[in-house]
Amino acid sequence: MDLMCHCSNFLLSPENPNAACSLSLNYALVILNQSLPRFAPLLWDHAHVRVCADGGANRVYDEMPLFFPHQQPSHVRSRYKPDAIKGDMDSIRKEVLDFYAKLGTKIIDESHDQDTTDLHKCVIYIRDLSPKIDGSEQCILVAGALGGRFDHEIGNINVLCRFPNTRIILLSDDCLIHLLPKNRYHKIFIQSSVEGPHCGLIPIGMPSGSSTTTGLKWDLNETAMRFGGLISTSNIVKGEIVTVQSDSDLLWTISIKKP
């Protein structure tokens, strides 16, 4: 069974990563049309490419200057310029679109495609930018993926399932979610200074006939999980490493600590 490691180094300063986790990933950032998490500038610094999904550009334009109250908003906006804005362009304001276009941001109008979400479109764009990077070596961070309309949240979670071989992490101010693909041995390094202790494991796509964990207050031992039956919510991490094995895809979620 292949080993797959996970850690949330993107929640730590790039100068002070967790030494226990040697995982080296190429980060990309997608900004969706929800309030920016308080650690948005940190995510931006970790990413090598930053893409706004349609109205996400409004959030960067309006909210990024609020993180730097002692700096001129125009200077902050110029510094935090997305590399691309992609989507059906039904939410972005004209003055925001014009501002970033003049700075050289690539504008990609996908209004002809109404069958995929803006996040789906952005994931494809990022993957096509780096075709030589293996999916296991790239990690797409998605800010503003949780909260707001429930159908939007479900659509974002569905993107995790549409791209099971690509690391995608959905983020809000309160928690993160990512997929643990089936039939692998997952080793999750817990960044206890910034995340936990509350966590959960949820079968997605199909029931789990057998899931086993270590490192949780209520570990699973070849446990079956399904909607309408048992799922592991409101669990608690006990140590610095959690391991997970399952015969079905699982969602891993863990709380993000407030300062």
Side-chain angles (χ1 to χ4, degrees), residues 27-224:
Y27 289 109
L29 176 63
V30 176
I31 304 285
L32 301 185
N33 193 13
Q34 289 289 334
S35 296
L36 297 181
R38 63 190 179 279
F39 44 83
L42 184 60
L43 302 180
W44 194 283
D45 290 342
H46 276 285
H48 70 277
V49 60
R50 300 99 175 177
V51 181
C52 288
D54 194 3
N58 297 338
R59 301 291 180 166
V60 174
Y61 184 91
D62 293 339
E63 298 176 24
M64 199 63 87
L66 302 179
F67 294 112
F68 305 95
H70 302 299
Q71 299 181 29
Q72 289 291 332
S74 60
H75 295 165
V76 175
R77 289 173 179 139
S78 296
R79 188 165 74 248
Y80 288 93
K81 175 188 76 71
D83 298 296
I85 300 170
K86 185 169 184 174
D88 56 15
M89 302 300 165
D90 63 347
S91 300
I92 187 172
R93 303 196 307 271
K94 184 179 185 303
E95 70 269 21
V96 174
L97 184 65
D98 292 344
F99 176 83
Y100 288 124
K102 288 178 182 177
L103 289 179
T105 295
K106 187 174 184 178
I107 310 299
I108 308 166
D109 187 340
E110 294 277 348
S111 56
H112 62 279
D113 178 7
Q114 295 297 313
D115 293 328
T116 60
T117 65
D118 285 340
L119 175 56
H120 188 284
K121 296 177 177 72
C122 290
V123 169
I124 291 176
Y125 175 75
I126 291 168
R127 294 204 326 169
D128 289 346
L129 273 182
S130 309
K132 295 183 180 179
I133 297 179
D134 185 85
S136 64
E137 299 173 351
Q138 186 175 61
C139 183
I140 300 174
L141 308 172
V142 186
L146 307 169
R149 280 171 44 188
F150 180 64
D151 61 326
H152 283 170
E153 290 183 307
I154 291 297
N156 294 334
I157 290 171
N158 188 54
V159 170
L160 301 182
C161 300
R162 293 285 295 269
F163 299 94
N165 296 319
T166 300
R167 293 177 185 263
I168 303 173
I169 301 178
L170 308 181
L171 292 148
S172 74
D173 239 6
D174 301 302
C175 69
L176 63 83
I177 300 175
H178 62 80
L179 190 71
L180 301 181
K182 63 183 178 182
N183 299 326
R184 298 193 189 181
Y185 181 76
H186 296 279
K187 191 173 185 179
I188 305 168
F189 293 85
I190 305 300
Q191 314 288 0
S192 58
S193 63
V194 292
E195 64 182 349
H198 300 98
C199 65
L201 286 164
I202 303 158
I204 189 76
M206 62 180 290
S208 168
S210 176
S211 294
T212 299
T213 66
T214 65
L216 301 179
K217 184 174 182 179
W218 295 285
D219 274 320
L220 306 174
N221 184 14
E222 299 182 355
T223 305

Side-chain angles (χ1 to χ4, degrees), residues 233-252:
T233 59
S234 299
N235 213 324
I236 292 183
V237 295
K238 290 197 308 181
E240 300 300 313
I241 296 177
V242 171
T243 68
V244 181
Q245 300 176 69
S246 181
D247 60 354
S248 76
D249 292 342
L250 301 178
L251 295 177
W252 165 257

